[in-house]
Amino acid sequence: MNLADQPSLFSDLHLLFNPRSIALVGASSRSDSVGGRTLDNLLEVSELKGPLYLVNPTKSEIRGVPCYPSVKDLPEAPDVAIVTVPAQSVVQALEECAEKGTRFAIVLTSGFGETGEEGKRVEQLMRGIAERSGMRIYGPNCPGLNNINAKLGMSFSPAFRLDLTPGPIGLATQGGGLGRTVMQSMERGIGVAAWASSGNQADLEVSDFIHYMADAPDVKVIVTVIEGFKSGEKFVAAVQHAAAKGKPVVALKVGKSEYGIRAAQSHTASITGSAQINSVVLKQLGVIEVDDMDELVDTAWLLARQLPTGKEKLVIYGPSGGAVTLAADKVGSAGLKLAEFEQATTEKLKAVLPDYAAIGNPVDVGTEIFTNSRLVDDTLQAIVEDPEVALVLYTFPLDYGKVMRENAESAIRVQAHTNVPILPAWMSDRLGDGYHALVKAGLVPSRSLNNAVRAIGHWIAWGRWLRNRDPGFTPLPVGEPSASAQDVPTRTLTEAQGKQLLSDAGIAFLQRGVAADVNAAVHMADAMGYPVVAKIVSPQIAHKSEVGGVAIGLKDAQAVRSACEAILISVKAKAPHATIDGLLIERMAPGGGMEVFIGVQRDAVFGPIMSFGLGGIYVEVFKDISRRMLPLTPASCADMVREVQCFPLLDGARGKPKCDLAALEALLLKVSDFVVNHPQVQEIDLNPVWVGPEGSGAIPLDAVVIVEASLNSSSEQ
């Protein structure tokens, strides 16, 4: 069953976003207080659908609205209670709300988990109230919740009255500052349906709001700014639910660097996770990850205007040859495809453009725009009617006053009668009437070619992902981050133990055995046949080559004897306290082939993640790695192998024999199945893995397996 279909993970939040009644606990007549500012937004700006109850034990009324001494004295249980009392009084207020039967409580007050351990303890009390009563808690330490389409501001922010452009974007953030940055992009023409800023996430979290917005009929695109993940399982379920509903999720993940991680943790008290793993998870789940706020807005609005199919080609259009050429460079560098006009389109353009104009793609209409006011209408209309054109990137390199306003108005007229998005890129710092006309019409001009091309790239890539997604994929479930892998006592199996554990799961290795001493090693090698490899076996030594614990290419008995004696001397000198369990004797891998790396790491937030790349030291030097959440499928195994830049080396580059890709993909799948069936395995490192020519197989030559300390395997030797 898909995680998003589990009813226990999510609550129905309709009445949180659309309450029939509201109580303001801590209402104040002071306009500079949190309670006073929240009251201003509710009374002066919002369009309430039902009664507003004020709770203040020292007042009989505020601004003509009666006050009640406590929540217990209210005539009914409100759908939403907005809590603005000081931090020390919040828990009591929440207890009263829960006892009254309140459905949701929004805690605007700060001074909890972001301040340290005592604040986190109080948040635990809040969670306990929610679990006992069923009342869901939003916050604390948050700016509140704004439903713009319903014109409802349950917030203390004085900016609420300024950011009221309705629209199709659902915004779910942790922090308030960057969320407000997105809201103020309304100045560029975007419209927002609702903004939920979760704060410390004592109970409800960003994932809950993403899940709600996936079902909300007035939301087409979901934007999220994430500082940390409270529950990887819920996040995965929420974004999978959005994908099932055909709604893109555009995410800006902050806290990628060491500095950023520290800042995010101090701000929201959440787990940020590894930047590489976070990006892998977002990509695999179809979440569009962006790097800054402009890219976020440009991408989200393009998706809100028109959803892609995944096969889009575009046209570059404008009045400047230099600008359209620069745009073509950006498009080409991004790997995007330009449309080729059909003959009918070319004839229409020739009929209205001068002989010197560039008729192909890019389309440079030149200085004719100064004398022909219908030129943009006629050429753009012909272009958007071409069957291969899915988007027009319209470059505005400068502001020419009236001319650029007329050009913009032409683009607006054409856009009104076509589903093909016309994306303006306003390249000038002078924001003239043309720019403001585009903003007013909702075309949201991008402020740079870079961001415009990135947005187009994300738009096309998401369409392809949606078309190819596996709706049945469900990642392995993950517990709460507090029970992270770092907190679980572990131990590293010896190579012999690890290989035996993997062998029992059907993973093939070369013939091997553990010898108790040098004489036994020689007899074992004689029985196997040469050449062989000799390695030290010790639970304290994972990296054997660092202590001289490995010898390869041993071709006869004397070589084995000499090598084993040298290994024992070196190990005793370099690791005198290590316990020596014997010597691993193993057949040498055949010649030829390639060496690759297969690893699995159990992430605290998102569970086991598999990595694949070139083997030996190359995985560390080049960092050419593909990663996936588990479990793998045959299709995702094939994608992993082909995603790395070194894939041509495996695929017979420059006439070399092709490697056994089928065996390699089968090995990846077996390792995935092994991890699925052995949840106590914390980490696997198979490096190198020998991949022979087609038909020769794929065999791990070394294996490091780290398990929970409590694992007791009968396979261990």
Side-chain angles (χ1 to χ4, degrees), residues 496-512:
Q497 292 170 337
K499 284 183 172 178
Q500 189 59 50
L501 193 61
L502 293 165
S503 292
D504 293 343
I507 295 173
F509 291 89
L510 294 166
Q511 186 180 358
R512 69 195 184 282

Side-chain angles (χ1 to χ4, degrees), residues 678-713:
H678 294 79
Q680 288 176 302
V681 172
Q682 295 296 313
E683 189 172 336
I684 297 174
D685 188 336
L686 305 180
N687 185 22
V689 175
W690 176 82
V691 186
E694 285 183 309
S696 302
I699 303 171
L701 304 184
D702 197 359
V704 176
V705 179
I706 300 175
V707 300
E708 292 181 13
S710 59
L711 180 63
N712 181 20
S713 172

Side-chain angles (χ1 to χ4, degrees), residues 410-451:
S410 294
I412 294 166
R413 284 193 294 270
V414 174
Q415 185 66 87
H417 297 95
T418 180
N419 290 327
V420 175
I422 300 171
L423 176 60
W426 193 273
M427 301 164 62
S428 172
D429 282 339
R430 182 171 296 167
L431 307 181
D433 291 344
Y435 174 86
H436 294 296
L438 294 168
V439 167
K440 186 176 180 180
L443 268 64
V444 186
S446 179
R447 293 304 313 278
S448 77
L449 281 176
N450 280 335
N451 280 338

